[in-house]
Amino acid sequence: MIKIDTIIFDLGGVLIDWNPEYVYLDVFKGDRDKMNWFFENICTNDWNENQDAGYPLELATEERVAMFPEHEELIRMYYGRWVEMLGDSIEGTVKILQALILDPKYKVVALTNWSHETFPIALDRFEFLHWFEGIVVSGEEKTRKPFKDIYELTLNRFNITPQNSIFIDDNLRNINAAKELGINGIHFESPKALIKELNNYTINL
């Protein structure tokens, strides 16, 4: 049986609810098709992830406005109203985190794709972010998941043995990248399912 001594948490979608729909669904008057078109063609996930890797928000915005001037107002909302996209904590997962933090058998850290410019907002809002032994923020490191270097950086910084660790993320792409380095992975779907998955590693909550 694998002896787990380290748990690595993703943040967005696992512990924190973040969703641009909280702004844009209202802006598009509930028209999900128009909103999805905007996300698929203008302010895309790939574009946002570039800022997660440290690209300046203001520069990214100006470049996108230059490309799509007819959508300027909508583009400027993306980071201009970013705070409104930040939802509540996912309380079921926070309770799991707290139990693991209080158990001396485990080292608990976080690895997140997050802009270094907006992460301080989350730090101020969510007390549980201060419970971790440490957090690797992609924007601060100028790289992001699923690139190999950010996982290696996390392993080295916190002296983690891959085979003795579990990485929890809501993006299966990021889990698969971690597994390539020997890190055990759990694809997060819900707090209830996470408890069941952790039990498979004899982590009983």
Side-chain angles (χ1 to χ4, degrees):
M1 177 63 68
I2 299 170
K3 180 177 173 14
I4 300 299
D5 59 22
T6 304
I7 315 293
I8 308 167
F9 277 87
D10 175 35
L11 298 180
V14 175
L15 284 156
I16 297 170
D17 179 21
W18 177 85
N19 196 329
E21 288 190 11
Y22 293 147
V23 168
Y24 284 97
L25 194 58
D26 181 58
V27 169
F28 284 104
K29 296 179 170 55
D31 191 327
R32 195 167 287 277
D33 288 339
K34 286 184 178 178
M35 179 188 70
N36 288 339
W37 182 91
F38 178 77
F39 291 149
E40 290 165 6
N41 295 277
I42 311 297
C43 288
T44 65
N45 187 58
D46 286 346
W47 174 74
N48 179 56
E49 283 198 324
N50 193 46
Q51 283 68 265
D52 285 347
Y55 200 71
L57 303 187
E58 183 177 357
L59 184 55
T61 299
E62 297 306 326
E63 289 174 349
R64 192 91 342 186
V65 167
M67 289 174 66
F68 304 104
E70 68 275 21
H71 297 289
E72 178 175 1
E73 184 178 359
L74 290 170
I75 293 167
R76 292 194 185 282
M77 283 180 192
Y78 200 93
Y79 295 116
R81 295 179 62 182
W82 183 90
V83 171
E84 297 172 56
M85 302 177 190
L86 192 61
D88 295 328
S89 59
I90 300 172
E91 282 306 310
T93 320
V94 174
K95 289 179 181 177
I96 294 169
L97 170 66
Q98 185 174 35
L100 292 168
I101 292 279
L102 292 173
D103 192 326
K105 294 195 299 292
Y106 304 112
K107 178 188 301 181
V108 186
V109 301
L111 168 58
T112 183
N113 277 1
W114 206 305
S115 166
H116 63 290
E117 295 180 62
T118 56
F119 191 65
I121 298 169
L123 278 175
D124 285 342
R125 183 177 295 188
F126 300 108
E127 174 60 29
F128 63 81
L129 292 180
H130 301 273
W131 298 350
F132 290 99
E133 184 164 323
I135 301 176
V136 173
V137 178
S138 61
E140 295 174 359
E141 308 301 337
K142 310 304 182 192
T143 184
R144 63 172 175 82
K145 299 173 289 186
F147 300 128
K148 182 179 178 181
D149 54 349
I150 200 163
Y151 297 96
E152 292 178 334
L153 183 153
T154 304
L155 294 173
N156 292 332
R157 180 169 296 172
F158 301 113
N159 193 26
I160 298 168
T161 301
Q163 294 77 11
N164 300 126
S165 67
I166 299 175
F167 176 50
I168 303 162
D169 197 298
D170 65 319
N171 190 323
L172 188 57
R173 173 201 69 178
N174 298 337
I175 291 293
N176 290 335
K179 286 181 175 178
E180 289 181 8
L181 292 172
I183 302 167
N184 299 288
I186 294 177
H187 182 211
F188 179 82
E189 296 178 309
S190 71
K192 184 177 179 180
L194 176 57
I195 290 173
K196 186 176 179 180
E197 292 280 358
L198 288 170
N199 285 345
N200 291 336
Y201 290 93
T202 67
I203 298 173
N204 300 309
L205 300 171

